[in-house]
Amino acid sequence: MTFLDMDARFSNIVSKGQREGITIDDYNVLKQIERELLTALRRTYGNYDYLNNDFYAAVEEMYKKGMSGVLTYEDYLSFKEKTVGLDEKISSYFSSEVAGENEEILYGNVCSVIDEIDYNKLSTGLSSEQLKYIKEHAYLLPLAVANNTHPKIKMYGDNSYMFLCQFHVEHTPSMGVTDLKNLMHCFACHTNGNAIDYLMKYEDLSYSDAVQLASEIFMFDTGVKEAGFKELVAKYQDAILSEQYQELLHKGFDRLNSRGIKNIGNINVEDAYNYRFGMIERIRRGDVDPTFQCDGVKRLVYLNKKS
Ligand SMILES: [Zn+2]
């Protein structure tokens, strides 16, 4: 991008932001402009800064030596050597300053807009029905299995599994995942929540990124391309396809069956397990969830409200 391109794209994004809000694509363009400007500014000022430090270091060294009374002719020569070309570089710095000035102003403007962007409040662009679907069908159990470090995952109650807590350091498991309710709770550090909360905390993501990651893991097609979660998606899908996760599901289903429990709250046990086993097969084949309806999302970025 040339300077004029960057300037024009920046102005477009700002005026669009004032009219209708900034999309995640706009945000990414802003970040790209920021990076390119920073590179350009480093190119302009970088050498000068380096030489400047080098020069002052040489002066300081000379001064210290001189004060102790052992300044030699060699010292003088090495000092001259370090300052050779200094005038030339300083004059080239001043002549390029004009070219750098516009870039510097634009860089300042881009940075201040980026500072105002509240990335954590980035809208998912999904409806509340779609978010509800994702929260209900993005399962916590395989996520916890993916990050499990304890050799045995024990069951407790009707439908819960105990893990070593993945949010604090401990040696006996305190983190319970209740599969059909799709919730977790640590009895020691009290971390709790659903699969989206889990991904936000464990992978250090914003809410909308956690929703996007969950959508990619469980293959709800939101139409967002290349969100950059390839490795994380692979890690969690491996856990979904693992024998360990399927064994846990069988154990849970058998236990509820043997106790004659058909419903937990308003959740029908058989339906819930059918969906889970269906989901495993679907992901094995690489098919999107046909029940999840979405024709593309428009994620908007919110600006921080200045008080
Ligand atoms: Zn904990």
Side-chain angles (χ1 to χ4, degrees):
M1 262 192 278
T2 67
F3 174 75
L4 285 177
D5 284 341
M6 288 192 271
D7 197 28
R9 290 179 87 169
F10 176 66
S11 309
N12 276 341
I13 290 171
V14 170
S15 62
K16 193 178 160 199
Q18 284 157 351
R19 287 195 320 271
E20 57 186 278
I22 297 172
T23 66
I24 182 67
D25 293 337
D26 296 326
Y27 172 80
N28 288 335
V29 171
L30 278 182
K31 290 298 283 182
Q32 194 196 342
I33 292 175
E34 182 199 25
R35 278 196 302 275
E36 289 205 18
L37 284 169
L38 192 62
T39 313
L41 289 170
R42 286 211 177 109
R43 218 180 294 129
T44 308
Y45 300 127
N47 288 340
Y48 171 71
D49 284 345
Y50 169 72
L51 193 71
N52 199 23
N53 290 337
D54 205 30
F55 173 66
Y56 282 112
V59 170
E60 202 176 342
E61 198 187 333
M62 285 287 286
Y63 179 74
K64 273 190 199 152
K65 269 200 156 182
M67 288 299 280
S68 63
V70 287
L71 207 58
T72 63
Y73 184 64
E74 278 74 26
D75 290 329
Y76 170 75
L77 287 183
S78 110
F79 180 68
K80 278 305 279 182
E81 199 183 321
K82 278 177 185 153
T83 57
V84 157
L86 187 64
D87 290 347
E88 196 188 313
K89 291 211 172 160
I90 286 178
S91 71
S92 81
Y93 157 66
F94 280 113
S95 63
S96 65
E97 196 185 22
V98 184
E101 199 180 337
N102 290 330
E103 286 168 341
E104 203 171 344
I105 292 166
L106 181 59
Y107 180 70
N109 292 341
V110 171
C111 287
S112 74
V113 168
I114 288 175
D115 279 351
E116 277 179 50
I117 288 172
D118 194 336
Y119 195 67
N120 279 318
K121 283 191 200 149
L122 178 72
S123 150
T124 59
L126 294 160
S127 69
S128 54
E129 289 80 19
Q130 288 161 341
L131 285 171
K132 186 167 176 275
Y133 186 91
I134 291 173
K135 277 176 201 162
E136 281 172 5
H137 296 87
Y139 298 125
L140 252 170
L141 187 56
L143 307 185
V145 167
N147 297 315
N148 172 49
T149 52
H150 199 268
K152 283 214 167 121
I153 301 168
K154 281 191 183 155
M155 281 201 82
Y156 78 98
D158 283 330
N159 187 240
S160 299
Y161 303 83
M162 289 305 279
F163 291 83
L164 275 180
C165 182
Q166 296 167 6
F167 301 94
H168 85 276
V169 179
E170 64 176 8
H171 302 290
T172 45
S174 312
M175 187 180 95
V177 173
T178 305
D179 183 31
L180 293 199
K181 286 187 179 161
N182 206 20
L183 292 170
M184 60 157 279
H185 177 77
C186 173
F187 294 96
C189 73
H190 304 293
T191 301
N192 60 63
N194 58 31
I196 305 302
D197 301 316
Y198 178 95
L199 290 175
M200 281 174 77
K201 282 176 199 144
Y202 194 87
E203 304 296 351
D204 192 20
L205 297 174
S206 69
Y207 175 72
S208 64
D209 277 347
V211 169
Q212 179 58 31
L213 174 58
S215 303
E216 291 186 31
I217 295 167
F218 293 91
M219 301 187 70
F220 311 128
D221 185 10
T222 62
V224 174
K225 297 261 163 7
E226 288 178 42
F229 296 128
K230 224 174 165 182
E231 279 173 29
L232 289 180
V233 172
K235 170 173 88 168
Y236 288 112
Q237 286 190 344
D238 281 351
I240 290 172
L241 300 178
S242 70
E243 253 174 55
Q244 191 178 26
Y245 173 51
Q246 296 184 46
E247 270 169 26
L248 294 181
L249 284 184
H250 282 294
K251 248 169 110 178
F253 188 51
D254 291 348
R255 182 148 168 170
L256 290 171
N257 257 345
S258 69
R259 289 169 45 80
I261 297 171
K262 302 269 182 242
N263 295 289
I264 292 182
N266 56 1
I267 300 160
N268 178 281
V269 170
E270 203 174 320
D271 288 350
Y273 278 95
N274 278 340
Y275 191 94
R276 279 160 174 76
F277 284 111
M279 178 270 298
I280 294 173
E281 277 317 303
R282 183 169 60 68
I283 285 176
R284 194 188 307 285
R285 290 193 308 268
D287 291 343
V288 298
D289 182 344
T291 335
F292 181 76
Q293 300 293 329
C294 180
D295 47 7
V297 300
K298 193 180 177 197
R299 296 166 80 184
L300 295 178
V301 174
Y302 290 102
L303 299 184
N304 279 322
K305 293 259 184 326
K306 289 254 164 72
S307 52

